[in-house]
Amino acid sequence: MEKKKIFITKNANQTKKLGEFLAREIVLSKAEKKALVFSLNGCLGGGKTTFLQGFAKGLGIKEKILSPTFVILKRFKLVKEKNYNNFYHIDCYRIQGSKEMLLLEVKDILKDPKNIVAIEWAERIKNILPKEAIVLQFDFIKKDKRKITLKYHV
Ligand code: ADP
Ligand code: MG
């Protein structure tokens, strides 16, 4: 069954806090046989990267999560986490044309149950994502207000 939760945030910090909260809520309770995948979608400036900054903090990552201008894929080691070893931040905004190399790499990352994988603009590589991926949709309401819809299967 698909479940849906809607959150409204009124500034960037609230979105970070939501990411931090959901990292603890979802990730820390899971131990699956597959990678745990988050598919983040919605417009530019919607708050995907902002959300992931809080999310990474919730996972105990000290490094800063950046909006990757040229980097499409970045790995962070998880030291505090029992069930997972790596957090991958992938941004598909700039992928186009010959993306075979990246797709092969992402497929491998998705196979490893020790990985947590968050993918911005995931719709662009939807065909290789697991059907049980947790979906986050970011909608711009006005300047500092965003609607964040979480969809997951139970
Ligand atoms: P995306 O990764 O979806 O393109 P970013 O997180 O990089 O979006 O950018 C979101 C921008 O919007 C940031 O400059 C952030 O400070 C601003 N912002 C304003 N209000 C919010 C909010 N409620 N949630 C997230 N970001 C917000
Ligand atoms: Mg981004």
Side-chain angles (χ1 to χ4, degrees), residues 69-130:
T69 313
F70 299 105
V71 187
I72 287 176
L73 189 154
K74 189 162 163 46
R75 179 174 81 103
F76 300 86
K77 269 199 144 329
L78 296 175
V79 285
K80 289 191 181 155
E81 188 45 41
K82 278 199 305 287
N83 300 319
Y84 298 97
N85 295 338
N86 309 292
F87 171 60
Y88 282 91
H89 178 201
I90 299 171
D91 193 323
C92 296
Y93 184 56
R94 278 173 185 80
I95 69 158
Q96 43 171 271
S98 73
K99 55 184 182 189
E100 282 73 21
M101 282 299 289
L102 175 75
L103 291 185
L104 282 178
E105 201 176 347
V106 175
K107 274 183 189 167
D108 273 346
I109 292 168
L110 295 175
K111 274 184 208 152
D112 187 341
K114 291 291 175 192
N115 293 338
I116 295 170
V117 190
I119 309 170
E120 297 190 42
W121 300 93
E123 283 287 337
R124 296 184 180 186
I125 58 163
K126 200 177 177 180
N127 53 328
I128 68 161
L129 298 183

Side-chain angles (χ1 to χ4, degrees), residues 3-4 6 8 10 22 27 31 60 79 83 87 104 135 137:
K3 284 230 173 192
K4 188 164 140 181
I6 295 174
I8 302 288
K10 292 181 176 156
L22 289 179
V27 176
V79 285
N83 300 319
F87 171 60
L104 282 178
V135 174
Q137 170 70 33

Side-chain angles (χ1 to χ4, degrees), residues 43-50 52 66-68 89-91 93-94 120-121:
C43 62
L44 200 63
K48 299 179 289 301
T49 302
T50 302
L52 290 178
L66 302 169
S67 200
H89 178 201
I90 299 171
D91 193 323
Y93 184 56
R94 278 173 185 80
E120 297 190 42
W121 300 93

Side-chain angles (χ1 to χ4, degrees), residues 9-16 42-51 67 91 120-121 138 140 142-146 148:
T9 63
K10 292 181 176 156
N11 56 56
N13 204 43
Q14 284 186 0
T15 297
K16 280 184 200 165
C43 62
L44 200 63
K48 299 179 289 301
T49 302
T50 302
F51 176 91
S67 200
D91 193 323
E120 297 190 42
W121 300 93
F138 293 77
F140 186 96
K142 58 185 185 193
K143 193 175 160 287
D144 289 325
K145 196 169 175 183
R146 303 289 186 274
I148 301 165

